[in-house]
Amino acid sequence: MTHVFGIPEPEPLALRLAASRVRDTSGLLRVLHAAGPAPLLRFGSRSAARHWAEHREEAALHRAWLDIRAPLDLGILDSAASPAALADAIAARTGAWSTSELSRIAALPQEEARAVLAFGLRALGHDGLCGLDPVADPGERVWIALDPEQVITVEETTIGHDRAPWEIPATEFCAAHEVGDCFFFEGREEDFDWIWADAALPGRLLPQCWRGAEDRPAEAGYRIHELVSGPAGTLVLIDPDGVACGFRMGAILWIDEAHRGRGLSTPLIFAACDRMGGPIASANCCYSIEGHAAHVAAHRAALREAPCPVVPAEPAARKDADAEDGLNPNSE
């Protein structure tokens, strides 16, 4: 799209991320992480970034989405490799450079070698690299962009601040200044009409960041998307018919009554944690009894899903039969 003055208008975020091939190994959109010294624009999972930063909690962490539309998959990608070593791997896969050309690339300063690498990849029709790094994180892809313009910044933070749901203590995960029936709200009130309206427009939704497992009938066919409008990290739950039936915005969590009893509040809370990279509410939040119980249930589920599962203790808070399983989530 071109502006009337001949200046190209920025492509909408939803279109950029829909066109991007950058997904996790399940085909879902994820915020990626970059940390530590790197000669190229190298991004990967939270675990990969911690490896690159040598697990220094104070190390800077760059969280971003990537717009890479034609990556060259190297199969195995050594994310610590120099541009010259990557040129060798690319040449082995594509025949891009001769032995003498590779020798000249190896003799170049890193910045010049990086430019040659990018030029050669673009000549082959590629705008990035991807592959599995068995050292940084054996289970997820590592991505290398060729241009800073391909990096869509989400957040600048530190390694220590960015945490998986199971790494967040219950006192932060379920933080609440006050819990009571007086904090119940109705998600279909007109204050939230804009969420439902935008959720019905495909151009207002980013690619899905969660989908229900087909072997779990209660969640099969459901999916979660982020809205491009509203506060950062506003998520909507879409039912199997393609209709929005719930949302998460800040500490506010809602699922329509017809869709409760399926455990869908837990993936909404997990998706919010993943998107925000840590605690998803502040200690001064107020929850309904059901909403707080949904967060307690989600934290218990997170501990069970941790790489080293933890058997959570029974919470002291009042339990609700539905909300304890994350089924009746109403907060704020």
Side-chain angles (χ1 to χ4, degrees), residues 53-331:
E54 299 177 343
H55 297 274
R56 292 177 294 110
E57 292 199 353
E58 74 282 2
L61 179 71
H62 190 84
R63 305 180 71 242
W65 291 304
L66 296 182
D67 182 0
I68 300 177
R69 307 186 183 192
L72 173 63
D73 190 341
L74 292 178
I76 300 298
L77 173 56
D78 179 1
S79 60
S82 66
L86 286 173
D88 289 339
I90 294 167
R93 181 62 66 105
T94 67
W97 297 286
S98 66
T99 302
S100 60
E101 288 172 328
L102 289 172
S103 296
R104 288 197 293 271
I105 292 173
L108 292 172
Q110 282 205 343
E111 280 303 309
E112 292 183 34
R114 177 185 180 279
V116 171
L117 195 75
F119 182 85
L121 280 169
R122 290 192 181 98
L124 292 168
H126 299 291
D127 60 351
L129 295 170
C130 69
L132 296 176
D133 187 330
V135 177
D137 185 355
E140 286 292 344
R141 293 188 185 97
V142 170
W143 302 82
I144 294 177
L146 302 186
D147 191 315
E149 293 296 320
Q150 295 174 280
V151 180
I152 303 165
T153 298
V154 169
E155 182 187 22
E156 299 283 357
T157 183
T158 63
I159 289 289
H161 181 270
D162 183 74
R163 291 174 287 175
W166 54 82
E167 296 173 323
I168 303 171
T171 52
E172 294 180 52
F173 195 101
C174 311
H177 174 67
E178 193 172 348
V179 177
D181 287 328
C182 60
F183 298 110
F184 176 86
F185 78 98
E186 172 56 59
R188 288 289 177 172
E189 292 176 348
E190 64 180 26
D191 287 347
F192 305 107
D193 283 350
W194 66 270
I195 294 179
W196 306 111
D198 280 10
L201 302 173
R204 307 296 286 174
L205 298 175
L206 300 187
Q208 60 186 349
C209 60
W210 176 86
R211 62 171 172 268
E214 293 301 321
D215 58 352
R216 297 179 182 176
E219 63 183 45
Y222 286 87
R223 62 187 194 273
I224 295 172
H225 296 256
E226 180 171 342
L227 285 178
V228 296
S229 53
T234 298
L235 304 172
V236 291
L237 177 68
I238 307 296
D239 72 14
D241 294 323
V243 179
C245 61
F247 65 86
R248 170 89 195 194
M249 180 177 64
I252 300 176
L253 177 66
W254 173 266
I255 293 178
D256 288 340
E257 187 171 357
H259 298 272
R260 297 174 192 166
R262 294 175 172 270
L264 296 169
S265 64
T266 291
L268 258 177
I269 294 169
F270 282 2
C273 284
D274 187 62
R275 169 62 175 81
M276 305 309 290
I280 50 179
S282 60
N284 61 358
C285 289
C286 298
Y287 289 100
S288 69
I289 292 172
E290 296 88 352
H292 186 255
H295 284 76
V296 171
H299 189 256
R300 290 166 58 81
L303 295 180
R304 291 193 294 268
E305 293 183 11
C308 297
V310 177
V311 178
E314 286 295 322
R318 168 185 158 180
K319 293 185 288 183
D320 178 274
D322 278 341
E324 180 62 18
D325 289 327
L327 308 180
N328 187 21
N330 306 292
S331 63

Side-chain angles (χ1 to χ4, degrees), residues 15-60:
L15 292 182
R16 291 187 70 185
L17 292 181
S20 175
R21 296 283 301 278
V22 180
R23 300 290 186 269
D24 69 7
T25 49
S26 298
L28 299 172
L29 178 68
R30 286 278 188 269
V31 173
L32 296 177
H33 307 71
L40 296 167
L41 298 170
R42 172 188 65 183
F43 287 82
S45 66
R46 177 179 287 112
S47 295
R50 290 175 177 176
H51 171 79
W52 296 329
E54 299 177 343
H55 297 274
R56 292 177 294 110
E57 292 199 353
E58 74 282 2

